[in-house]
Amino acid sequence: MDSCLLLLFTLGIPLPWPCLTAAENVKTERAKQPAGSHSRVKRGWVWNQFSVPEEMNTTHHIGRLRSDLDNGNNSFQYKLLGVGAENIFTIDGRTGDLYAKQKLDREEQSLYILRAQVIDITTGKAVEPESEFVIRVSDINDNEPKFLDEPYEATVPEMSPEGTLVIQVTARDADDPSSGNHARLLYSLLQGQPYFSIEPTTGVIRISSKMDRELQDEYWVIVQAKDMIGQPGALSGTTSVLIKLSDVNDNKPIFKESLYRLTVSESAPTGTSIGRITAHDDDTGENAEMDYSIEEDDSQTFDIITNNETQEGIVILKKNVDFEQQNNYGIRAQVKNRHVDEQFMKFHTKASTTFIKVQVEDEDEPPIFLLPYYVFEIFEENPHGSFVGMVSAADPDHRKSPIRYSLTGSKLFHIDDDNGTIITTHPLDREVNAWYNLSVTATESYNAQQISSAPVYVQVLNINDHAPEFPQYYETYVCENADFGQAIQNISAVDRDESIEDPHFYFDLSVDDTNHSSFTIRDNQDNTATILTNRTGFSLQEEPIFFVSILIADNGTPSLTSTNTLTVYICDCDQKGDTQLCRNKELMLFMGFKMEVIIAILVCIMAIFGFIFFVLCLKQRKKQTLFPEKSEDFRENIFRYDDEGGGEADTEAFDIAELRSRPVLRGHRTRRAPRAEVRSLYRQSLQVGPDSAVFRKFILEKLEEANADPCAPPFDSLQTYAFEGTGSLAGSLSSLGSAVSDQDENYDYLKELGPRFKRLACMFSSTMQTNH
């Protein structure tokens, strides 16, 4: 007989499956084999199951594994394999006792699958093949219920009926629901009665009585959940539920005051806010929105609008008030909710009202004209000072201040500042201006700040003072071969006057042209007339132009007549008798004249631009080289003269040849005795001037240079300052050339040259006497 692994329960837990012997095992295995097959029968472990309480402490004995081959001689060794071996579970290798090393928690792991093996110590080989067994952790009630969806918050309308659903709370228990009543929960309220109730098994919270939000708008409800159906020893958990009451429109707005006193100035314009009234509503949000209105106001002077942000009523002025007519008003206002459900209409049957007393304040008002505007008429050409009309204004206040008038808009009118009479200052002309827009200002004498104005319109009426005339200049042509009675021109007339009736003009030739004219006129009776030829044939050579005098009369009262001249040109027409050719010639002549003018203007513009360009070139050339013929003389020569010199004729002190710009030099003159020669030389210098021949030669040279220079400007005069002259005839007064004996020289001759030289003569005479 083969052996099998036995489990000895130290805890007294019965073995769920019996230990099978080897023969039974073989039979079982062979029964599973098909007939006629040959296979080796293996030994197998018997599946066993252990049940371990989860609250057991560490190193707690679970049970014992034992092989039927173990005879107790300690020759076998038991080994434990699998997840949890050695760290959670351990086995005594000699006895097969199985222990738990630590406390087990079913909620973390409720099942362990291990393997056991028996080894012969002497041979080191396995006596039996490995066998798996299961350790189940049995549940105990060690977890209290927990509410996983915290925090709970719900909102329900106020005044809701009993039984209204508020919210459902749910708790969870981690214990095994199949193990007794460990996970069966029971709900109850610890706080919240009598307004709320809860269903014990479902956790549904309902309203048990009506609530008013205006008294209390939120409630805290505490819910408890117990496991084991609330039996003794059960575990429990709690949670809090915040229940808020939402508002319903169950309150009407009520005025805070039963009487409001407001004031308004009589000068306030319409639309002015004169005060505010306020009503209170216990509801909130949309349910507190209200509308104010006037319930009683016989004068229809005031109105009330609602401020949607502050929920106040604004009293406004709908019509102007006058302290002198009525100084106080009494009105009644009411207020209602804007949004009211049908089910809450019972709370809003009668609206709240209040009384408003308005006092009108007196103000110093400006003058008031009797009419908003004035329209006057006057005939044109009326003399200076003619009456136009009268305006009138009055002070509406009690003191009735006198009024002063002034007029603006035109200097052709004047107003009497006391009584408002308007007169003309100049005769008026309707054809210049038919209407005048004036402005009359009225000012109180007691208070010059109080002023008002009114428009005045003056219409100038027409009189027949303008005669009719041609509306335009007529260019009339007639062919030389024109027939008798041929129409050559249609004319009309205009009149600057304004007529009440439709204007009608009468056309006729002047008395002189009626009997001897080559043309006649036909009145078409429609304010037009036709000019006709009064003979056959015309001569361009004999009479190229005719002047026809035409009389035009209007239908005014009195009728006015004017004489207008019509110019008729004789035309050399073609065979068809078309005068258009003559008109085209005039046009071409005029266009040709215009073309000549345009060409002349263009030529002038081009000449101006050319001259400007030439001047710019000349300036550029002058900037590049100034006096090019002298540039070589001053290129690198530096002359220093510390001696004052003896004048232009003094050449002994230094050589001035280097400063000459031209080859023509002044000749050297010896020093002469300045006695009798000075007077004659002085007169000669005043009459003759510089050496004319030398100067003439110098000018001619400069002219040749200018003519040869292509960039020289076309000036009418040549100015040059490069010529020094030939020197003074009086000689030099320098002492540098005084080598000759001047000891016996007499300087009295200087006194004869004039008063300016007398002082010099005295100085030289005194000097000579001192030297001697």
Side-chain angles (χ1 to χ4, degrees), residues 54 103-110 112 137 142-143:
E54 62 176 323
K103 184 178 180 179
L104 303 179
D105 190 353
R106 187 197 67 83
E107 284 71 38
E108 292 183 0
Q109 187 170 350
S110 61
Y112 296 90
V137 183
D142 60 344
N143 291 279

Side-chain angles (χ1 to χ4, degrees), residues 119-189:
I119 300 175
D120 191 346
I121 298 177
T122 59
T123 62
K125 297 183 178 179
V127 178
E128 298 285 347
E130 292 183 3
S131 179
E132 290 184 350
F133 63 95
V134 176
I135 298 179
R136 290 185 177 274
V137 183
S138 60
D139 181 58
I140 63 173
N141 190 19
D142 60 344
N143 291 279
E144 69 276 5
K146 293 183 178 181
F147 292 90
L148 304 180
D149 297 331
E150 295 181 303
Y152 290 98
E153 185 175 328
T155 303
V156 62
E158 63 172 331
M159 309 302 292
S160 296
E162 297 181 6
T164 302
L165 174 64
V166 179
I167 193 174
Q168 182 178 12
V169 296
T170 304
R172 297 287 185 271
D173 196 322
D175 292 327
D176 188 0
S178 62
S179 177
N181 296 322
H182 293 174
R184 295 184 62 183
L185 305 180
L186 189 67
Y187 298 95
S188 62
L189 292 183

